[in-house]
Amino acid sequence: MADPRFFPTSGAQRLQDLAAAAGASFTGDPERLFTGVAPLQSAGPEDVSFLDNRRYAGLLAGTRAGAVVLAPAFAAQVPEGAVALVTPQPYLGFARVARLLHPAPAPVPGVHPTAVVAADASIGVGTEIGPYAVIGSGARIGANCIIHAHATIGPAVEIGDDCRLHAQCSVSHAILGRGVVLHPGARIGQEGFGFAPTPEGGFETMPQLGRVLLGDFAEVGANSCIDRGSQGDTVIGPGTRLDNLVQIGHNVQTGRGCVVVGQAGISGSTTLEDHVTVAAQAGLTGHLRIGTQARIGAQAGVMNDVPAKTDVIGSPSMPVREFWRAMAKLKKLGAGREG
């Protein structure tokens, strides 16, 4: 069960309300109460658990969970005393149950006495400004936001309603939509990596005159960086998720619902269309276009455009089937066998 010191609960919830949140059907007492979520092997009678992977099906028979969110194929295997919450998308259903039982903390409206807020900054109704936060001149923060300790919001930055900016993150030259989350140490809007070499062997910084636009419900992981645009804007589309330690170069644009996993880097002026996935430690050179629903494998080095709905891996990257054929050939060569 989640440690209540860190993850307070909303209190006991009725089975019928949990089922509604999960989009699940069930048979049993709709008024039965549950207080938390837990894995199959440690859940108790007041906990909800889930099964979404066949490799863990063996744990189902021995679980003591009071209810289990699972697919129709496993419903008949739920032990006596447990309720099967049956849905075609168990993990999504379980996530919604967990959110109902352990909701995100609500803002505590007000400005901490140690915060520094410019006189002409606008703070929305119900917003919480934490200790030592800095809000620059002309900044506009929407309603019901939480600005955690030591966060820095630069002059003229605009932040929509219901945003969460965690400790030590910084935002400048940016406009954030509704429901944006910045995890600790995220850096938004800093100067991009742009410079011109001089005849003497030095470098002259190119002024970075664009902004960062973060779409509604985008999330940026801890210590990830999004450079502002050079002559245009860097755009992160609605619902896009960046993991920890991700680098987004100037003028990158992503579509809706993209996922970029930890330690990946996307060079300047590359475009990701809708629902692109970039796996961990992948690197994309600049000025590329990655098509809708393309998937970039872990540690891939992408140097050319990738068509829509194409999976690539390797460095230099290539379609997955070509990559594995090449690896098979290489193994044969290494073993002294050709053909």
Side-chain angles (χ1 to χ4, degrees), residues 9-236:
T9 71
S10 59
Q13 299 289 329
R14 299 182 303 172
L15 178 61
Q16 66 180 14
D17 296 327
L18 298 175
S25 60
F26 70 95
T27 300
D29 178 6
E31 299 297 319
R32 183 175 174 179
L33 297 177
F34 294 85
T35 58
V37 295
L40 286 169
Q41 61 269 39
S42 59
E46 294 183 349
D47 294 327
V48 181
S49 191
F50 82 107
L51 175 64
D52 190 41
N53 191 319
R54 289 184 178 276
R55 74 173 64 180
Y56 301 113
L59 298 173
L60 184 58
T63 189
R64 296 178 59 248
V68 183
V69 183
L70 37 59
F74 297 106
Q77 301 176 38
V78 171
E80 185 177 355
V83 177
L85 292 170
V86 182
T87 173
Q89 296 180 296
Y91 190 63
L92 175 61
F94 182 71
R96 290 171 174 170
V97 166
R99 179 61 68 188
L100 181 61
L101 286 164
H102 297 281
V108 179
V111 178
H112 193 275
T114 61
V116 178
V117 180
D120 62 346
S122 173
I123 309 298
V125 174
T127 284
E128 173 184 346
I129 309 294
Y132 298 101
V134 176
I135 314 296
S137 176
R140 298 175 60 186
I141 300 174
N144 302 312
C145 295
I146 300 179
I147 311 300
H148 285 275
H150 292 277
T152 301
I153 298 170
V157 166
E158 296 185 15
I159 295 175
D161 297 343
D162 304 310
C163 291
R164 302 290 184 267
L165 276 62
H166 289 272
Q168 299 283 358
C169 66
S170 62
V171 185
S172 69
H173 307 85
I175 298 175
L176 281 57
R178 175 173 173 248
V180 170
V181 177
L182 305 183
H183 290 280
R187 307 298 181 198
I188 310 299
Q190 64 281 340
E191 188 174 76
F193 195 56
F195 53 87
T198 68
E200 298 77 26
F203 301 100
E204 188 78 26
T205 297
M206 176 67 71
Q208 304 290 290
L209 304 177
R211 306 169 298 178
V212 174
L213 307 181
L214 290 182
D216 293 347
F217 303 106
E219 291 203 14
V220 180
N223 295 320
S224 289
C225 299
I226 303 175
D227 294 344
R228 69 178 182 264
S230 176
Q231 302 300 310
D233 293 328
T234 301
V235 180
I236 304 299

